[in-house]
Amino acid sequence: MILTKTREPALMEIHGLTKTFPVRQSLLSRWRGQPVRKVQALTDVHLSVQRGETLGIVGESGCGKSTLARTLVRLYDADSGEVRYEQLDVLGLRGAALRQYNRRVQMIFQDPYSSLNPRMTVGQVLREALSVHKMRPPETQDARVQELLALVGLPPQAAGRLPHEFSGGQRQRIGIARALALEPECLIADELVSALDVSVQAQVVNLLLELQERLGLTVLFVAHDLRLVRHLSHRVAVMYLGRVVEVASTEAMFTQPKHPYTQALLAAAPTLDPSRRTAAPAITGELPSPLNVPSGCAFRTRCPHAFDRCAVERPALRTVSQNGGSGQEVACHLYDPASDPARALTSGLQPLPAQVPQ
Amino acid sequence: MTGVPVNSGDAALTQAAPQRWGSADAPLLQVRDLNVRIPTPAGELHAVRGVNFDLKNGEVLGLVGESGSGKSVTLRALLRLHRAPVKMSGEVSYAGENLLTMPESRLRSVRGGQISMIFQEPMTALNPVLTVGDQIVENLNEHRNLRGRAALERAADLLDLMGIPSPKARLADYPHQFSGGMRQRAMIAIALASEPRLLLADEPTTALDVTIQDQILRLLLKLRSELNMSIILVTHDLGVIAQTCDRVAVMYGGRLVETATVQDLFRRPLHAYSLGLLQSLPGAGQHRRPLQPIPGGPPNLLSLPPGCPFAPRCAFVTEACLGAEPPLVEVAPGRLSACVHFDRLPPLGEAVSGEEGAR
Amino acid sequence: MTVAQLPPVVAAPQANRRRWPKPTLLIGLALLLLLLVAALVPKVLAPFSPTDFDYEAILQAPTSKHPFGTDNFGRDVLSRVIYGTRIDLQIALFTTLFPFLFGTLLGAVTGYLGRWSDALVGRLADLVVVFPFLVLVIAIVAVLGPGLTNMYIAVSAVGWVSYWRLTRGEVMTQKKAEYAQAGRVLGYSPSRILFRHLLPNSVTPAIVYLMTDMSLGILLGASLGYLGLGAQPPTPEWGVMVADGKNFMATAWWISTFPGLALTLAGVTFSLIGDGLADALRPRA
Ligand SMILES: Nc1ncnc2c1ncn2[C@@H]1O[C@H](COP(=O)(O)OP(=O)(O)OP(=O)(O)O)[C@@H](O)[C@H]1O
Ligand SMILES: Nc1ncnc2c1ncn2[C@@H]1O[C@H](COP(=O)(O)OP(=O)(O)O)[C@@H](O)[C@H]1O
Ligand code: SF4
Ligand code: SF4
Ligand SMILES: [Mg+2]
Ligand SMILES: [Mg+2]
């Protein structure tokens, strides 16, 4: 099953991960025998995460970023596919083994308001995490709580307070402290700072950078803010309608995007330079409904380069260059040597103005 | 505090800013000493504290600031949309009349007629039980006196202008049958049916995806030049400001603290808060290096410190900042700032001004 | 950059603002105190024995000696009302406490587990609510025989459904909240997530309903007493007293009216407390 990679063994390997959500149907349509409709949230996702790296995952809303994050920590059950974490078969874990895995792979949630129990003080929240996993003997737990608060830059008195007494940025720090209480190896951060103001965002981002450095964490950084992902990630994966369409080193992704969607996405992101304005939008058309994903390449309804093969065959993720050492993988027929040679480009596609957000 | 010429070398660039609507015109909208007070259980919240600005014909003014800084409250006050017990005072003069004191009946013809507003969440602003066509026609009836076929045709034209395919057929659709981006377009179509002179847009793209946001912003700019209207765009996204606006007003703690053309602001902010905002953005520094956050959080409007409201978070604060609240004054031609030390602020880090170098 | 250089964190502004209970809760609690005194030490308040007959003073209208008048056996109505408090509070408590405990617990478990357990209990609940509440209770008491204990059993067998519904719905909502999912990602056991996190955040509606239900419980006890299926004479119970007095309504209105007012007062007390609790138990945000 597992594709053999020549690189050093990855910390986490995701193969062919697929997840659908059935749509609630009226009794009438069920009685009429209409087929059950499904939201195609993840389709045949392949990814690997190296130990110690930050892998950015970007894409527009509804493209499956959160579903991927939640499936990896087993909040959702995948339809099919495989996830390997070191030797563990993650999707097969049960009971205590699953709880042990969850200790090692922690997730931080997007919404700093709803991800904390409104009735527990910060101290109770942290102590609970410590005692459930027996991270510390009871008599040293209070000291550890103080250490954790200091680690995320919260004052010692914070332990006695309830979540509603904190600002959004502070709550996000509490969420980070709770995850760190379990001394995880891997953090999955889903839109960690999206709900925060820019000035506060930077505080939390710095905290994450520093902790990662200090504790050697592997981070999956899920976000829609390209500027932030570019700043933080070693490698980036771009998703579109439940599929990974391009994976590359940050450098390669932002300077030589290869997939037509990546190019459009980068061009659409507003840059901070007022003198670089364009009159025409980077890309026209709307995201298709995830209930009705186009056949073949999901992007073909908006792609300026679509050709006949795109409608019939789903392009697989293939390595197209060794950019940045780790290889640049793209799922697009343009880069397939087997395509019509007139269309296929083996490298260096620059059909769209490769305007790159800074 | 006299005006000091700031980076005069950039004069050429400043003049390259869109000047199609000539600054000699009388302003379309003049806001003077606008105040909004909201009674709350914990005391009176002075949410907008003496805001002044002018808006020129055909100008796109960006209103930017942190959450809770008073952007939306300001915008709603311009159309006197707050209800008692919220108190508004000051002057919003539009075509020589004060919107804050004119009779309700007169105001109704201005609202939606000469000045339209669009919101962040289109689904809550559209009526779910009326078709999109009905809602556009309603506005045409009310403000353009168009009825029947003529109104329907105009409505279809408007949807077409918004870039909605097969507009005639879509008129019969209900809002829930539209996707998020299309709803936002429909809402803009309704707002523009009356051919307003001024469009107030409160975070019109915040709920949208970046490719759709890009489309809507370009559409707004196209409409601005085709219909010659002015726009006030509220957003917290500096990228959106840079890509859309002619002039920017930075808001902090219920006040405007700096106004400038976009080029000027992004080249050299003259208020410590604007500078802090721009410097805190990722991309200003090197890959994976720490960012430069503004310490602390937004001020509590119920207990503002005396003097400059930004002082507790400001790296340049001195005694001079702590006495009276610094007023918004002209510090360079066409530039207003409420920072005592505007002339001592360092230029933006290399990376932001010299973008190419940052890659 | 080290942690020491992290920007200072401003203290949250609303940190130390205490929330005072609403006046309704305070009034409710004051009234409850009064009821409790009457229930625990009726001797102190009541001028006469509730059961002693006084054939000299039959059917007397309220006077300074008998402020609530006397009944057809010459018993002092005020004293009977005061002595009735204990039994009626007991009825209020026992007709609701068991349904509350049972229904809430079951609601929490099936709301969390869902699937077949939920479907099974749902069917059972449907079965119970097909019949009008009172009819079902009467039927069960009729089978078990009259008396308070059997009444409690009957009411518990029927009354849990409301609590189950309320708590189940709330738990189903709460389990989708991110803090509950965070618990799963933190590797917490299902029972911890359910009882430590979800239940405290889901039990408020049931508690508020419990208060309303207590007034209904007293009325139910009264109805059953009236039908002769609840408290047995000569126990002073408000419902039985109202029933006994109904024959004299035209000539001696006080016999039914004062116990009726006592019932109302108890009902108002519980409603006030319920209302105040709903507010006090809401998590601050
Ligand atoms: N109806 C209201 N009652 C009480 N306070 C209010 C009300 N509306 C706004 N405020 C307060 O007024 C201040 C300014 O709010 P406003 O909505 O204008 O902020 P904003 O700049 O638009 O923020 P955002 O970016 O989050 O939309 C805030 O402190 C807010 O809490
Ligand atoms: N619990 C759920 N039930 C049904 N559909 C869901 C659920 N979670 C996500 N989806 C759908 O799956 C798709 C991917 O969603 P998500 O992973 O949340 O996207 P993203 O995080 O990239 O914005 C969307 O179409 C979304 O509506
Ligand atoms: S596979 Fe075809 S449609 Fe898809 S991105 Fe490539 S060229 Fe466009
Ligand atoms: S006035 Fe002083 S405190 Fe305020 S922003 Fe300027 S330098 Fe900072
Ligand atoms: Mg998401
Ligand atoms: Mg707002």
Side-chain angles (χ1 to χ4, degrees):
Chain A
M1 273 278 300
I2 304 179
L3 304 168
T4 42
K5 292 252 158 86
T6 45
R7 278 175 274 150
E8 62 175 292
L11 180 65
M12 191 188 271
E13 296 252 14
I14 302 162
H15 292 291
L17 196 63
T18 297
K19 169 75 189 162
T20 58
F21 293 101
V23 177
R24 250 172 219 265
Q25 269 178 310
S26 67
L27 271 178
L28 185 68
S29 56
R30 222 181 302 170
W31 175 70
R32 282 193 191 137
Q34 285 170 358
V36 180
R37 302 209 300 159
K38 285 178 177 169
V39 173
Q40 198 69 39
L42 293 177
T43 310
D44 194 24
V45 167
H46 293 267
L47 261 183
S48 68
V49 187
Q50 305 296 314
R51 190 181 292 279
E53 80 170 340
T54 300
L55 175 64
I57 298 180
V58 295
E60 296 179 87
S61 91
C63 72
K65 306 182 296 292
S66 301
T67 306
L68 176 63
R70 285 161 174 259
T71 309
L72 293 181
V73 293
R74 290 288 306 276
L75 278 176
Y76 293 154
D77 285 323
D79 294 9
S80 61
E82 190 183 11
V83 178
R84 289 253 157 218
Y85 185 84
E86 289 183 329
Q87 306 307 316
L88 292 176
D89 171 18
V90 171
L91 300 184
L93 295 176
R94 297 258 168 278
L98 174 58
R99 292 204 280 276
Q100 191 54 30
Y101 165 76
N102 272 336
R103 187 194 70 68
R104 299 168 67 188
V105 179
Q106 269 296 301
M107 172 155 166
I108 313 174
F109 291 81
Q110 164 170 6
D111 185 354
Y113 297 90
S114 73
S115 59
L116 293 166
N117 184 339
R119 291 173 195 277
M120 284 169 80
T121 64
V122 173
Q124 286 171 332
V125 166
L126 298 181
R127 228 170 290 122
E128 178 176 41
L130 292 173
S131 64
V132 166
H133 287 281
K134 306 199 170 55
M135 302 303 298
R136 290 285 187 285
E139 60 277 10
T140 65
Q141 279 176 8
D142 282 337
R144 178 62 179 160
V145 166
Q146 288 304 327
E147 271 173 42
L148 286 166
L149 290 176
L151 194 62
V152 298
L154 286 172
Q157 312 86 289
R161 301 217 182 133
L162 289 167
H164 79 268
E165 298 176 32
F166 294 89
S167 70
Q170 291 173 322
R171 285 186 228 208
Q172 212 52 296
R173 288 168 192 245
I174 302 170
I176 295 176
R178 178 175 63 182
L180 293 180
L182 304 188
E183 294 164 29
E185 298 152 9
C186 179
L187 271 187
I188 300 182
D190 186 8
E191 306 274 6
L192 178 65
V193 295
S194 305
L196 306 178
D197 272 314
V198 271
S199 66
V200 183
Q201 251 182 24
Q203 299 174 4
V204 178
V205 165
N206 284 355
L207 176 64
L208 185 72
L209 275 171
E210 200 221 326
L211 291 172
Q212 184 175 18
E213 210 76 349
R214 178 125 59 108
L215 309 173
L217 296 169
T218 306
V219 176
L220 243 72
F221 191 80
V222 178
H224 65 263
D225 182 342
L226 294 173
R227 226 178 276 135
L228 197 55
V229 167
R230 180 180 194 181
H231 186 79
L232 278 177
S233 311
H234 297 107
R235 286 193 310 137
V236 181
V238 179
M239 292 184 69
Y240 187 77
L241 276 181
R243 297 163 191 188
V244 173
V245 297
E246 183 162 1
V247 188
S249 71
T250 305
E251 176 69 15
M253 185 72 84
F254 284 88
T255 53
Q256 294 162 50
K258 294 212 180 301
H259 196 282
Y261 174 66
T262 313
Q263 296 179 345
L265 188 69
L266 297 192
T271 79
L272 287 174
D273 184 352
S275 60
R276 271 205 281 159
R277 283 189 197 175
T278 48
I283 182 174
T284 54
E286 313 241 338
L287 270 174
S289 156
L291 280 170
N292 204 350
V293 177
S295 66
C297 173
F299 187 55
R300 70 180 164 83
T301 52
R302 302 168 81 189
C303 179
H305 313 284
F307 57 109
D308 34 358
R309 187 179 171 195
C310 305
V312 289
E313 192 188 334
R314 177 149 57 82
L317 204 57
R318 64 179 69 245
T319 305
V320 299
S321 80
Q322 286 306 322
N323 245 326
S326 56
Q328 187 161 7
E329 295 170 84
V330 182
C332 170
H333 292 312
L334 291 175
Y335 297 92
D336 182 0
S339 278
D340 175 357
R343 324 208 62 129
L345 307 156
T346 40
S347 66
L349 175 80
Q350 296 289 338
L352 289 168
Q355 190 198 17
V356 171
Q358 79 96 35
Chain B
M1 213 176 313
T2 47
V4 193
V6 185
N7 50 15
S8 45
D10 292 338
L13 251 152
T14 320
Q15 274 156 19
Q19 295 258 314
R20 271 170 286 176
W21 295 276
S23 51
D25 290 7
L28 179 70
L29 192 76
Q30 256 184 326
V31 178
R32 289 292 172 269
D33 196 27
L34 180 68
N35 282 279
V36 181
R37 295 182 173 84
I38 307 171
T40 69
E44 190 181 69
L45 189 98
H46 200 164
V48 177
R49 306 182 299 122
V51 160
N52 300 297
F53 66 88
D54 287 353
L55 182 70
K56 293 181 208 141
N57 262 319
E59 185 179 43
V60 182
L61 174 71
L63 198 53
V64 68
E66 282 174 291
S67 178
S69 56
K71 308 180 293 291
S72 304
V73 172
T74 302
L75 204 66
R76 300 175 68 83
L78 297 181
L79 271 182
R80 217 211 288 168
L81 285 172
H82 297 288
R83 291 167 198 277
V86 176
K87 294 196 280 281
M88 289 169 279
S89 65
E91 196 184 334
V92 178
S93 52
Y94 172 80
E97 281 185 280
N98 185 355
L99 297 181
L100 292 187
T101 52
M102 72 167 51
E104 190 70 27
S105 57
R106 175 94 188 79
L107 185 63
R108 266 201 299 277
S109 74
V110 174
R111 277 191 200 147
Q114 322 232 3
I115 305 180
S116 290
M117 187 154 176
I118 55 178
F119 300 91
Q120 172 169 352
E121 187 33 76
M123 203 52 200
T124 54
L126 291 170
N127 185 336
V129 299
L130 290 179
T131 65
V132 170
D134 287 342
Q135 299 185 53
I136 302 178
V137 167
E138 191 180 16
N139 193 356
L140 290 169
N141 289 344
E142 191 74 24
H143 295 288
R144 289 283 122 197
N145 214 2
L146 272 181
R147 269 155 232 284
R149 279 192 67 99
L152 275 178
E153 266 166 28
R154 178 74 187 134
D157 286 351
L158 278 163
L159 283 192
D160 192 34
L161 188 63
M162 300 307 136
I164 293 182
S166 44
K168 277 227 165 61
R170 302 311 299 248
L171 283 179
D173 281 356
Y174 289 90
H176 73 262
Q177 289 166 295
F178 277 29
S179 69
M182 274 163 57
R183 272 179 217 149
Q184 198 57 277
R185 285 165 210 258
M187 191 160 72
I188 299 175
I190 296 170
L192 295 187
S194 58
E195 293 167 33
R197 304 285 318 279
L198 169 60
L199 181 69
L200 306 179
D202 192 354
E203 312 246 9
T205 57
T206 304
L208 301 177
D209 282 316
V210 33
T211 58
I212 310 296
Q213 160 172 294
D214 181 51
Q215 295 169 10
I216 299 279
L217 293 178
R218 306 276 172 248
L219 173 67
L220 282 178
L221 286 184
K222 188 179 110 186
L223 293 170
R224 176 278 284 266
S225 50
E226 283 176 11
L227 307 176
N228 188 21
M229 60 176 185
S230 308
I231 300 176
I232 300 183
L233 179 76
V234 166
T235 177
H236 61 263
D237 185 335
L238 286 160
V240 168
I241 294 275
Q243 288 302 300
T244 330
C245 300
D246 304 326
R247 223 150 48 87
V248 197
V250 181
M251 200 157 184
Y252 188 81
R255 265 176 176 258
L256 296 190
V257 293
E258 176 168 13
T259 64
T261 65
V262 239
Q263 282 82 3
D264 285 347
L265 187 87
F266 282 85
R267 187 162 306 276
R268 173 141 199 200
L270 290 184
H271 190 285
Y273 173 63
S274 323
L275 178 69
L277 267 188
L278 283 168
Q279 280 184 331
S280 69
L281 292 174
Q286 288 201 319
H287 191 226
R288 288 181 64 76
R289 300 312 307 162
L291 301 174
Q292 301 173 45
I294 304 178
N300 178 3
L301 288 174
L302 285 170
S303 60
L304 282 174
C308 175
F310 186 59
R313 305 170 72 186
C314 184
F316 305 97
V317 60
T318 64
E319 278 300 317
C321 312
L322 302 176
E325 190 163 351
L328 184 69
V329 292
E330 182 156 29
V331 295
R335 302 199 60 171
L336 307 181
S337 165
C339 183
V340 176
H341 299 308
F342 70 92
D343 51 352
R344 285 199 220 152
L345 299 178
L348 272 176
E350 272 305 302
V352 169
S353 49
E355 282 204 13
E356 258 55 41
R359 295 238 187 92
Chain C
M1 170 149 172
T2 66
V3 171
Q5 288 173 299
L6 271 176
V9 182
V10 285
Q14 73 276 53
N16 292 317
R17 222 184 328 132
R18 280 204 66 79
R19 217 171 39 165
W20 290 101
K22 284 211 299 194
T24 50
L25 184 60
L26 296 178
I27 297 173
L29 289 174
L31 290 175
L32 183 67
L33 192 71
L34 184 75
L35 290 176
L36 284 178
V37 170
L40 295 176
V41 282
K43 267 207 186 74
V44 177
L45 298 178
F48 296 96
S49 147
T51 46
D52 284 357
F53 296 168
D54 179 357
Y55 295 107
E56 309 285 289
I58 287 176
L59 294 178
Q60 278 188 0
T63 57
S64 56
K65 188 174 174 210
H66 298 288
F68 287 6
T70 60
D71 67 4
N72 51 328
F73 296 107
R75 293 175 297 198
D76 179 47
V77 175
L78 174 62
S79 303
R80 281 183 67 72
V81 166
I82 291 172
Y83 275 91
T85 312
R86 177 182 298 183
I87 192 88
D88 275 279
L89 284 193
Q90 189 191 329
I91 290 176
L93 192 66
F94 287 157
T95 51
T96 50
L97 195 64
F98 294 120
F100 167 77
L101 289 177
F102 183 63
T104 303
L105 215 62
L106 199 62
V109 172
T110 63
Y112 186 68
L113 295 181
R115 305 196 186 187
W116 63 264
S117 69
D118 192 43
L120 190 75
V121 178
R123 287 297 106 77
L124 205 64
D126 288 345
L127 211 66
V128 171
V129 296
V130 169
F131 303 97
F133 185 76
L134 199 57
V135 172
L136 197 57
V137 171
I138 291 171
I140 299 177
V141 177
V143 171
L144 298 176
L148 283 177
T149 314
N150 288 344
M151 182 179 101
Y152 297 147
I153 295 176
V155 172
S156 300
V158 181
W160 61 271
V161 176
S162 315
Y163 296 99
W164 173 75
R165 285 244 165 87
L166 281 171
T167 309
R168 165 187 176 266
E170 199 61 29
V171 166
M172 283 170 73
T173 317
Q174 292 287 332
K175 84 174 168 187
K176 295 199 192 91
E178 274 191 350
Y179 71 83
Q181 310 211 349
R184 284 172 63 191
V185 179
L186 286 161
Y188 295 168
S189 66
S191 66
R192 168 175 288 273
I193 294 173
L194 177 55
F195 293 110
R196 185 114 172 75
H197 296 266
L198 294 181
L199 197 53
N201 283 297
S202 308
V203 80
T204 308
I207 291 182
V208 174
Y209 183 76
L210 175 72
M211 290 297 141
T212 327
D213 206 22
M214 283 193 171
S215 1
L216 295 176
I218 296 182
L219 293 177
L220 179 74
S223 316
L224 292 181
Y226 182 90
L227 293 173
L229 296 172
Q232 299 299 310
T235 322
E237 195 275 325
W238 296 337
V240 177
M241 288 164 71
V242 172
D244 288 349
K246 77 163 197 306
N247 294 334
F248 305 92
M249 230 14 229
T251 51
W253 53 269
W254 52 90
I255 303 183
S256 288
T257 306
F258 287 109
L261 284 177
L263 267 174
T264 314
L265 180 76
V268 168
T269 304
F270 293 129
S271 302
L272 287 176
I273 295 177
D275 187 44
L277 274 184
D279 191 55
L281 292 178
R282 196 155 20 92
R284 282 166 283 182

